[in-house]
Amino acid sequence: MATRCMIASACPIVKVYNSTMSIAELPLLTAAHALPAILDQPAESLRAWLAERGEPPMRLRQVRRWLLAARAESFEQMTDLPAALRTGLAAAFLPLGTRIAVHQKAHDGTHKLLLKLSDGGQIECVLIQDDRRRTACVSTQVGCGMGCVFCASGLNGLERNLTSGEIIEQLVRLRNLLPPNERLTNIVVMGMGEPLANLDNLLAALAEAGRKDGLGIGARHITISTVGLPAKIRELADLGKQYHLAVSLHAPNDRIREQIVPPGEKIGLATILETTDYFFAKTGRQVTFEYVLLGGVNDHWTHGRELGELLKGKKAHVNLIPFNEVEGLPYRRPDDESLAAFVQQLQRAGVSVKVRKRKGSEIDAACGQLRRRAAKELLHS
């Protein structure tokens, strides 16, 4: 996926299960789990499983409420279920199929989790605390197939799509880091992977997250980011949902975009903008255009002027993201003068613009960095 949370640099020591250890010690904590995760089971199958044991369908609602609303992380905690049922559930399912392999926390309250999946895959998710907002940034794929040259998420390619349950579990894991009197207020789908390439599973997860007896996060508080897949953007628009859409441009013209965003070779900016106009017409929701500034590549003031002309007159907002350096990549952060000049050009064109705040600066909170570092240290160990 082209745009990530992009909010951090490196940190040599991590917190794992409330202790401190090097990533090289992680194999002791990451054994595969044989049982299936209950959030990934179809409702019909679970009802049939309950019926075989003489339990009413309402038990499924109870289990779901415990996991999504009451913060239970074991079946034993579900005290309004019969003891025999709790034992049976524990023998057949995992309440949560993910395991926290690494937990990092920055001084500004940003948390990052590296989650181990049941098949050994690893994904990242981030909790961003800002004023009254508690925002979860979640992944939709293990790795990424888009190949954006500056993004750590896709350096090793795409492994697979996440299930809807694995997407929901990221929200649950992050929410459970908050004090009991706080809740998640927003979701940004800007973690690992291209969300629109896994749209069905994503939509199922977001529908579950939006239920009042679950996490209660409405569509207007959810932003879906994409590198720009026109057919999928139209499909999303036609659903009539009030999700926010963030499109990763990263360039003011096709020539530069093709160099840094490989899908740009097949999908020109004109096609993307035509599709985002369609999204706005169908939903009435302002589109955000993400733009990662790479020093000496796409950050010159003339690029800002060109981008301003491209977006002039559109109901749109530009989110500028100064690049956070990633080990192994040749790109650098733009200097302050270039950033200021770029912003000025957009403002002159009448384009709404904001520079993204840098959160979690002392942890690997830019998407893909922690997963990549963990793999590298395990290899060396």
Side-chain angles (χ1 to χ4, degrees):
M1 174 55 200
T3 298
R4 297 288 129 255
C5 286
M6 296 268 176
I7 49 179
S9 56
C11 173
I13 298 296
V14 298
K15 289 183 69 178
V16 184
Y17 292 114
N18 298 319
S19 64
T20 307
M21 63 175 67
S22 70
I23 289 179
E25 296 175 82
L26 289 181
L28 295 174
L29 303 175
T30 54
H33 307 288
L35 298 178
I38 198 165
L39 289 177
D40 260 330
Q41 306 312 302
E44 319 83 71
S45 299
L46 290 174
R47 290 191 190 100
W49 186 91
L50 288 166
E52 289 174 1
R53 287 152 182 81
E55 296 290 346
M58 63 170 286
R59 298 300 188 199
L60 179 56
R61 294 195 302 273
Q62 289 177 288
V63 170
R64 185 184 162 281
R65 179 183 60 80
W66 274 107
L67 292 172
L68 298 185
R71 306 195 182 199
E73 296 189 5
S74 73
F75 294 116
E76 189 57 34
Q77 293 174 302
M78 303 179 185
T79 52
D80 58 355
L81 299 182
L85 177 57
R86 282 180 270 161
T87 300
L89 286 168
F93 306 104
L94 290 172
L96 296 173
T98 59
R99 292 292 181 271
I100 299 176
V102 181
H103 176 191
Q104 293 183 329
K105 182 179 179 180
H107 293 302
D108 61 13
T110 300
H111 292 259
K112 183 161 193 175
L113 300 180
L114 179 69
L115 299 181
K116 188 81 169 183
L117 307 178
S118 59
D119 64 356
Q122 293 180 331
I123 57 172
E124 301 174 0
C125 55
V126 180
L127 173 65
I128 305 165
Q129 304 188 71
D130 189 8
D131 298 326
R132 295 184 179 180
R133 290 190 176 188
R134 301 294 180 262
T135 301
C137 178
V138 299
S139 298
T140 53
Q141 297 178 313
V142 183
C144 184
M146 295 297 103
C148 301
V149 298
F150 53 82
C151 181
S153 293
L155 287 176
N156 295 320
L158 173 66
E159 294 182 27
R160 67 171 175 87
N161 286 336
L162 295 181
T163 65
S164 60
E166 288 168 336
I167 296 171
I168 295 168
E169 282 200 25
Q170 294 173 71
L171 298 172
V172 170
R173 290 289 188 189
L174 294 172
R175 188 278 313 278
N176 290 356
L177 299 177
L178 293 171
N181 62 331
E182 293 187 10
R183 56 181 289 271
L184 293 177
T185 62
N186 297 78
I187 300 172
V188 291
V189 190
M190 296 182 179
M192 292 168 52
E194 165 53 57
L196 297 191
N198 189 19
L199 185 57
D200 289 345
N201 286 339
L202 172 62
L203 291 176
L206 295 181
E208 189 77 1
R211 292 175 54 142
K212 292 182 179 179
D213 59 345
L215 296 173
I217 304 173
R220 286 178 172 267
H221 298 277
I222 297 172
T223 300
I224 300 174
S225 181
T226 175
V227 75
L229 305 182
K232 290 296 184 178
I233 292 175
R234 287 180 176 272
E235 182 180 341
L236 184 63
D238 289 340
L239 293 174
K241 302 290 185 180
Q242 290 292 291
Y243 298 125
H244 291 278
L245 179 68
V247 177
S248 301
L249 286 187
H250 307 319
N253 56 59
D254 288 332
R255 178 183 59 82
I256 295 178
R257 194 167 195 268
E258 289 172 6
Q259 296 173 11
I260 60 179
V261 183
E265 297 177 6
K266 300 178 181 179
I267 307 171
L269 288 176
T271 301
I272 291 175
L273 293 179
E274 178 185 347
T275 309
T276 56
D277 287 344
Y278 179 83
F279 182 89
F280 174 70
K282 292 287 287 188
T283 66
R285 307 297 283 166
Q286 175 179 272
V287 176
T288 295
F289 292 100
E290 308 274 20
Y291 194 108
V292 173
L293 289 160
L294 305 171
V297 177
N298 64 353
D299 67 330
H300 196 267
W301 69 268
T302 57
H303 297 144
R305 181 177 65 185
E306 194 174 359
L307 181 64
E309 289 300 314
L310 193 67
L311 300 179
K312 192 173 183 178
K314 292 184 180 295
K315 184 65 174 177
H317 173 76
V318 174
N319 195 1
L320 293 178
I321 309 166
F323 179 68
N324 287 304
E325 296 181 9
V326 176
E327 183 181 356
L329 296 181
Y331 305 101
R332 60 178 174 82
R333 186 179 178 88
D335 58 52
D336 291 342
E337 290 183 1
S338 297
L339 176 59
F342 199 102
V343 170
Q344 186 179 54
Q345 291 299 318
L346 289 175
Q347 291 173 335
R348 285 180 177 176
V351 176
S352 171
V353 58
K354 184 177 181 180
V355 179
R356 181 176 291 180
K357 290 181 181 179
R358 198 167 184 227
K359 303 286 287 183
S361 58
E362 75 269 32
I363 61 174
D364 304 288
C367 194
Q369 288 188 8
L370 179 55
R371 174 175 175 262
R372 180 171 169 79
R373 186 166 70 87
K376 182 178 179 180
E377 291 193 17
L378 287 175
L379 179 63
H380 288 311
S381 68

